[in-house]
Amino acid sequence: MVNVKGSSSGVSSSAASPSPVSATVASSTAEPYPHVHYLSELPAVDEERLEKIFNKLDRDGNGRIDIHDLSEALREFGLSHQYAERFLKQSDQTQSGDVGLAEFIHYVREHEKNLRLQFTHLDKNRDGKVDLEEMIEAFKELGIDMDRVEAAKLLKRMDKDGSLNISYDEWRDFLLLAPSADIHELVKYWRHSTYLDIGEDLNVPDDFTQSEMQSGMWWRHLAAGGFAGAVSRTCTAPLDRLKVFLQVQASKQRISDCLQYMLKEGGVRSLWRGNFINVLKIAPESAIKFAAYEQVKRLIRGSDKRQLTIYERFVAGACAGGVSQTAIYPLEVLKTRLALRKTGQYSSILDAATKIYRREGLRSFYRGYIPNMLGIIPYAGIDLAVYETLKKKYLSHHETEQPSFWLLLACGSASSTLGQVCSYPLALVRTRLQAQAVTIGPQADGSVAIQPNMTNVFKRILQTEGPLGLYRGITPNFIKVLPAVSISYVVYEYSSRALGVNMT
């Protein structure tokens, strides 16, 4: 959790006089505490170590650790505000809303006793160190699903001296500020990644542990992510509609001109056209994608309970994306039509669906389906591969540090952006096909309507607009990434906290 320099090796004589810290705390009248006598029993080395940790956490230097101090300190280690709340709740014995030095030392000493018991369970041969084989065996006995590669990564993060095993000091320092000494909580913290919805449809679903699946925690993650996605999409809906509007233009248009046209044609409210159905499809899409992802993972692993490799995750994610997109694709078409509609054209989603069906038939609801499916492969593959590569690159240089949220956010934004650049031409062709209305049967001039297809649209764009025409509307798409992920993060943290989900 938090890597703190220092060691408890070396024991002071029981006859040693109390250190200045003990004297200060014991003589303080500002902080009456029933366990002050406990401090005099501490070895001087331990007392100095804990005082350094306390001072490091006490950001404002007022001699007390409050929720703001903890949140700021833990955020540097990639831990959410929720860990700070849990730590404060367990260590604040006087219920004062903050923690003094005496309370802190008492709590940490009790916490270290539990950590010692956990370490003893891992140390099978009782040599004072835990190697990879002992860790794997202990995980297996505890019912934790972790393969050899993942266990080696965990050991490497704790192993600060490069000895290829973990000493108690390394184990204690890694977990010192964790609000739980439970090994299951440790693995959950270390393994789990946050799922944030930024309005794109082709991301790879999150992985959940077996305990999360059995306890129902998975649906809380999905619910929190879905709510965060709904808020994020609503806040960035004007940029999304602007992107769709630019995508269907046959000639280059300035963003400001398109924005002025939309405001003049329908007013400020028109900037949110198509947003309701964009939010409405989050729940079925997430549920279907999650179910399909879990099923494909089972097919890939068979009877083996190992973690999937990055390539297997890509295959499972692409398949899950294909299944969910096939199921909800008619909603995608409706979203595009509603985003591009003129004032008074449709009175509701049902009215739009009815008119499109009567005029164009059932096939119209799957117009652009092929380029949409083809776009899943480059987007999901590049997004996942770049994200994992950037994260592993960081961990290889900072092996004992948990990546902060902002670092993971930067990796996710970079991978998502690169994935969008590679798949954007297919997304643009899909949007144009979705937007084109074709009347069934003979036309007024006696001709028969020809259904446009992906190849024809590609050729027409290249001939009339050039290669840059395939990237029309990508600017507002990039602009919305930063506000979308920021809003998603804030909303996800608060909603997950309300649902009892640990954000890691």
Side-chain angles (χ1 to χ4, degrees):
M1 289 278 183
V2 176
N3 301 299
V4 183
K5 300 294 182 183
S7 172
S8 62
S9 58
V11 180
S12 302
S13 170
S14 60
S17 60
S19 73
V21 178
S22 296
T24 300
V25 175
S27 62
S28 173
T29 57
E31 184 186 8
Y33 191 69
H35 301 285
V36 170
H37 68 276
Y38 187 75
L39 300 175
S40 62
E41 302 173 5
L42 282 179
V45 174
D46 279 354
E47 190 173 313
E48 291 174 7
R49 174 177 61 86
L50 295 178
E51 183 193 11
K52 287 180 180 178
I53 298 172
F54 181 88
N55 291 334
K56 186 175 181 180
L57 294 174
D58 181 17
R59 294 306 178 95
D60 54 15
N62 67 348
R64 309 285 297 181
I65 300 175
D66 58 22
I67 190 67
H68 301 292
D69 292 330
L70 278 172
S71 297
E72 186 178 344
L74 296 182
R75 192 181 296 115
E76 295 179 1
F77 298 95
L79 296 178
S80 76
H81 185 273
Q82 199 170 52
Y83 278 97
E85 290 180 338
R86 291 173 62 188
F87 182 89
L88 189 63
K89 182 179 179 181
Q90 294 180 25
S91 58
D92 182 15
Q93 298 294 326
T94 60
Q95 303 297 311
S96 61
D98 53 21
V99 177
L101 179 58
E103 286 177 296
F104 177 79
I105 291 179
H106 173 73
Y107 170 75
V108 170
R109 291 291 290 175
E110 293 299 317
H111 184 52
E112 287 182 352
K113 291 180 182 179
N114 294 325
L115 292 178
R116 172 68 76 176
L117 291 174
Q118 288 282 2
F119 184 82
T120 301
H121 180 78
L122 294 176
D123 184 15
K124 299 296 182 182
N125 60 8
R126 301 294 186 267
D127 64 349
K129 297 180 181 293
V130 175
D131 58 25
L132 182 61
E133 297 301 328
E134 288 176 313
M135 181 176 285
I136 294 175
E137 182 181 351
F139 284 156
K140 187 175 181 180
E141 290 178 359
L142 292 167
I144 297 174
D145 179 19
M146 181 179 290
D147 61 20
R148 190 180 188 85
V149 175
E150 192 176 11
K153 290 179 182 178
L154 177 56
L155 184 142
K156 194 174 182 180
R157 283 190 56 210
M158 290 187 183
D159 179 21
K160 291 187 289 184
D161 59 6
S163 61
L164 301 180
N165 52 44
I166 303 170
S167 66
Y168 169 69
D169 286 352
E170 290 171 328
W171 170 264
R172 177 205 62 207
D173 292 347
F174 188 77
L175 280 171
L176 190 61
L177 298 183
S180 172
D182 185 2
I183 186 66
H184 292 81
E185 290 288 327
L186 162 65
V187 174
K188 181 179 178 181
Y189 154 75
W190 175 73
R191 171 191 283 164
H192 210 276
S193 58
T194 303
Y195 176 82
L196 293 179
D197 181 344
I198 61 171
E200 302 300 330
D201 305 313
L202 305 179
N203 45 6
V204 177
D206 201 4
D207 280 310
F208 294 99
T209 63
Q210 190 64 33
S211 62
E212 287 174 321
M213 294 292 292
Q214 293 174 349
S215 65
M217 190 62 70
W218 63 271
W219 72 261
R220 298 185 184 184
H221 278 281
L222 292 181
F227 182 66
V231 175
S232 175
R233 293 186 186 197
T234 300
C235 293
T236 59
L239 288 170
D240 193 61
R241 190 188 178 216
L242 187 58
K243 176 195 73 173
V244 174
F245 196 86
L246 288 168
Q247 283 179 329
V248 299
Q249 302 302 312
S251 60
K252 186 176 180 180
Q253 302 284 334
R254 292 191 304 177
I255 294 177
S256 58
D257 292 339
C258 291
L259 185 60
Q260 287 178 7
Y261 170 79
M262 289 190 291
L263 289 172
K264 185 178 179 180
E265 193 276 331
V268 176
R269 288 186 62 185
S270 68
L271 298 179
W272 275 265
R273 284 179 183 170
N275 178 65
F276 181 72
I277 196 166
N278 196 31
V279 171
L280 195 65
K281 67 186 179 71
I282 291 177
E285 182 182 10
S286 299
I288 295 170
K289 185 188 294 183
F290 170 71
Y293 186 62
E294 290 299 317
Q295 188 61 40
V296 174
K297 284 201 302 183
R298 291 192 192 98
L299 293 176
I300 293 175
R301 289 187 304 202
S303 57
D304 195 357
K305 293 185 178 181
R306 61 181 175 81
Q307 293 292 305
L308 297 185
T309 65
I310 183 173
Y311 305 105
E312 291 171 333
R313 282 192 66 199
F314 159 62
V315 172
C319 291
V323 172
S324 65
Q325 283 289 295
T326 300
I328 60 97
Y329 195 76
L331 297 179
E332 291 281 355
V333 175
L334 280 172
K335 175 220 166 188
T336 300
R337 293 293 185 91
L338 289 168
L340 295 172
R341 79 182 188 272
K342 294 183 178 179
T343 302
Q345 186 174 358
Y346 304 120
S347 60
S348 64
I349 296 176
L350 182 60
D351 180 55
T354 302
K355 288 181 178 178
I356 293 172
Y357 174 74
R358 289 176 179 173
R359 181 178 173 83
E360 305 170 47
L362 185 62
R363 289 184 62 184
S364 181
F365 289 100
Y366 278 89
R367 189 166 294 147
Y369 176 78
I370 293 177
N372 186 68
M373 290 296 104
L374 293 176
I376 289 177
I377 298 174
Y379 187 97
I382 294 170
D383 187 16
L384 178 62
V386 172
Y387 178 79
E388 294 289 342
T389 300
L390 291 175
K391 191 170 72 170
K392 287 180 180 178
K393 189 73 173 177
Y394 173 85
L395 291 175
S396 67
H397 290 86
H398 305 80
E399 295 168 357
T400 63
E401 296 181 21
Q402 168 69 10
S404 67
F405 165 77
W406 295 110
L407 179 73
L408 296 179
L409 181 62
C411 293
S413 298
S415 61
S416 177
T417 299
L418 188 56
Q420 288 182 49
V421 168
C422 296
S423 63
Y424 194 83
L426 288 166
L428 182 137
V429 170
R430 175 200 66 186
T431 301
R432 291 207 177 180
L433 288 169
Q434 290 174 341
Q436 289 179 349
V438 178
T439 305
I440 304 293
Q443 306 299 297
D445 59 359
S447 62
V448 178
I450 299 176
Q451 289 279 0
N453 57 42
M454 180 181 70
T455 306
N456 292 337
V457 174
F458 258 119
K459 287 181 179 179
R460 191 182 308 120
I461 293 174
L462 290 173
Q463 290 172 356
T464 60
E465 306 169 47
L468 290 179
L470 294 172
Y471 286 91
R472 188 152 292 151
I474 199 170
T475 301
N477 201 49
F478 285 160
I479 293 174
K480 79 171 186 176
V481 170
L482 184 58
V485 293
S486 301
I487 294 168
S488 286
Y489 169 66
V490 173
V491 178
Y492 184 92
E493 183 167 19
Y494 280 98
S495 58
S496 61
R497 196 182 307 167
L499 290 170
V501 176
N502 290 328
M503 185 174 180
T504 58

